[in-house]
Amino acid sequence: MKKLTPRQQRILGLLFRGESWSSSAVYAELRKAEEGVSLVTVKRALADLSQLNLLFVKGVGRATSYEISVSGRIYADVDAEAYCAVEPDKRYGSSCFNFSLFPKFPTDIFLASERLTLDEATNEYKKRTTDLSEIVQKKELERLVIELSWKSSKIEGNTYTLLDTEKLILEHKEAHGHSKNEARMILNHKDAFTFIHEHAEAFKSLTRANLEQLHALLVKDMNVGLGLRKTPVGVLGSTYRPLDNIHQITDAISDLSRVVSLMETPYAKALVSLLGISYIQPFEDGNKRTSRLMANALLMAYSCAPLSYRSVDENAYREATLVFYELNSIVSFKKIFIEQYDFAARNYAVK
């Protein structure tokens, strides 16, 4: 993936807001942000973006217009906080599932600098996990499981504190004033992580079978139906509506599985599965929990560090997710992923 210039990013941002743009229309908008920019410069920038497959061209001559491509959507840098500050019904994103997204998903989604950060973190992680005693391994595993179970549950609205979570997992003591479901959600995280930790080889790829198996562990005894959903679901705070029939959901899972298999690195496999499962929403509940654990399963299957999300800001996480739902941009979430991977690789020693 090539790093885009600020001007190129501004153009992609404009094209999100309408189906087709002429070079003159793009020029008129860019002049508001770039004093002195010329039409010739804008046309050259549009041509460069087209060559990068971030735009596609329609028509010829004066009838030429430009539309953003799937890759353009994926690589566009959107200010997630500003975008989500607008009321859902007034945002310019799509409310529909993008059937072109997975079939046209690029396999090279990290910049060279980002890949270097991830690889350096992995090297540090491998050093940290070399020659550990059984006692240290047990303590490190407990620490990661507690912090992952707490934060992943908190992202979903669970009100257990980190200390409550520690007591629940290590001492089997439920916190007063909390529902049984909150305790069950946390304990299910523990069981799901234990399973993928012990069966890492089964998660070299994402399949419908291992996805449903992981989901079943995460929603055990929570009155949630198993298997792919057969009824519609909505997304809080968004006009985006996931697919509403099991046949399309099944096809989308197959498309996602194929995309994940084509990704060039374990990091890309994990990130795409994390976003893709959340986007498809294949189950009636527990989708984002399943996506986080599946991402960890893929990372561990390739001897990479699992994430705890301990230091993630929940609002930033939700905003970046909504940007992917409505605009298909991965940039905001990718930043979170890289930060969390670097944090995990340098702070845990679970192998």
Side-chain angles (χ1 to χ4, degrees), residues 100-292:
S100 298
L101 180 61
F102 296 134
K104 296 182 179 180
F105 213 102
T107 59
D108 179 21
I109 60 174
F110 289 104
L111 297 171
S113 59
E114 294 169 337
R115 174 70 182 274
L116 180 61
T117 297
L118 292 165
D119 284 342
E120 287 179 346
T122 297
N123 290 337
E124 177 65 22
Y125 164 72
K126 289 180 177 179
K127 290 177 185 176
R128 289 172 53 79
T129 54
T130 300
D131 298 326
L132 295 178
S133 69
E134 287 188 13
I135 292 175
V136 171
Q137 287 186 52
K138 182 175 182 292
K139 290 291 185 183
E140 285 294 296
L141 180 59
E142 284 179 351
R143 186 163 67 94
L144 176 66
V145 166
I146 290 167
E147 294 182 355
L148 168 63
S149 301
W150 164 67
K151 196 54 175 274
S152 180
S153 297
K154 188 180 181 187
I155 290 171
E156 301 308 312
N158 194 303
T159 58
Y160 262 62
T161 66
L162 181 56
L163 183 58
D164 290 335
T165 303
E166 181 181 10
K167 288 181 178 179
L168 176 64
I169 289 177
L170 297 184
E171 302 174 22
H172 310 290
K173 293 181 180 178
E174 294 187 17
H176 295 296
H178 296 268
S179 70
K180 292 285 185 182
N181 248 23
E182 286 195 306
R184 176 46 53 193
M185 180 187 290
I186 288 168
L187 292 173
N188 285 351
H189 272 86
K190 176 182 76 72
D191 292 343
F193 188 86
T194 299
F195 180 80
I196 61 177
H197 183 248
E198 293 175 352
H199 300 87
E201 286 297 316
F203 291 91
K204 287 279 189 180
S205 60
L206 184 158
T207 66
R208 176 176 172 177
N210 63 21
L211 182 63
E212 290 190 18
Q213 186 176 33
L214 191 52
H215 174 257
L217 290 169
L218 283 162
V219 299
K220 181 182 176 183
D221 297 331
M222 294 188 70
N223 197 30
V224 175
L226 301 182
L228 302 184
R229 61 180 168 82
K230 300 176 182 178
T231 55
V233 295
V235 175
L236 183 65
S238 176
T239 59
Y240 170 65
R241 291 294 177 265
L243 296 170
D244 61 5
N245 76 75
I246 192 169
H247 303 294
Q248 290 179 326
I249 293 169
T250 301
D251 289 343
I253 291 295
S254 295
D255 288 342
L256 176 61
S257 176
R258 186 162 49 252
V259 170
V260 170
S261 71
L262 294 173
M263 288 293 123
E264 296 178 353
T265 65
Y267 320 120
K269 292 177 187 292
L271 177 57
V272 173
S273 69
L274 182 58
L275 288 170
I277 295 166
S278 299
Y279 186 61
I280 297 168
Q281 300 267 312
F283 308 111
E284 66 178 49
D285 195 14
N287 292 289
K288 292 192 293 296
R289 279 167 271 163
T290 304
S291 73
R292 288 189 286 274

Side-chain angles (χ1 to χ4, degrees), residues 80-100:
E81 183 178 6
Y83 178 80
C84 292
V86 178
E87 293 179 19
D89 291 333
K90 295 180 180 179
R91 296 200 288 257
Y92 55 85
S94 173
S95 61
C96 301
F97 183 88
N98 184 353
F99 287 95
S100 298

Side-chain angles (χ1 to χ4, degrees), residues 8-22 25-26 29-30 32-33 54-55 66-69 72-73 76-87 90-94 323 326-328:
Q8 289 172 325
Q9 285 289 3
R10 276 193 287 272
I11 291 173
L12 292 179
L14 288 174
L15 268 64
F16 266 133
R17 299 169 184 265
E19 289 188 0
S20 296
W21 286 68
S22 67
V26 173
E29 288 296 319
L30 282 188
K32 299 174 183 178
L54 303 181
L55 306 180
Y66 301 86
E67 293 182 10
I68 193 166
S69 67
R73 288 180 169 276
D77 191 355
V78 178
D79 184 332
E81 183 178 6
Y83 178 80
C84 292
V86 178
E87 293 179 19
K90 295 180 180 179
R91 296 200 288 257
Y92 55 85
S94 173
V323 164
E326 298 180 15
L327 299 175
N328 303 148

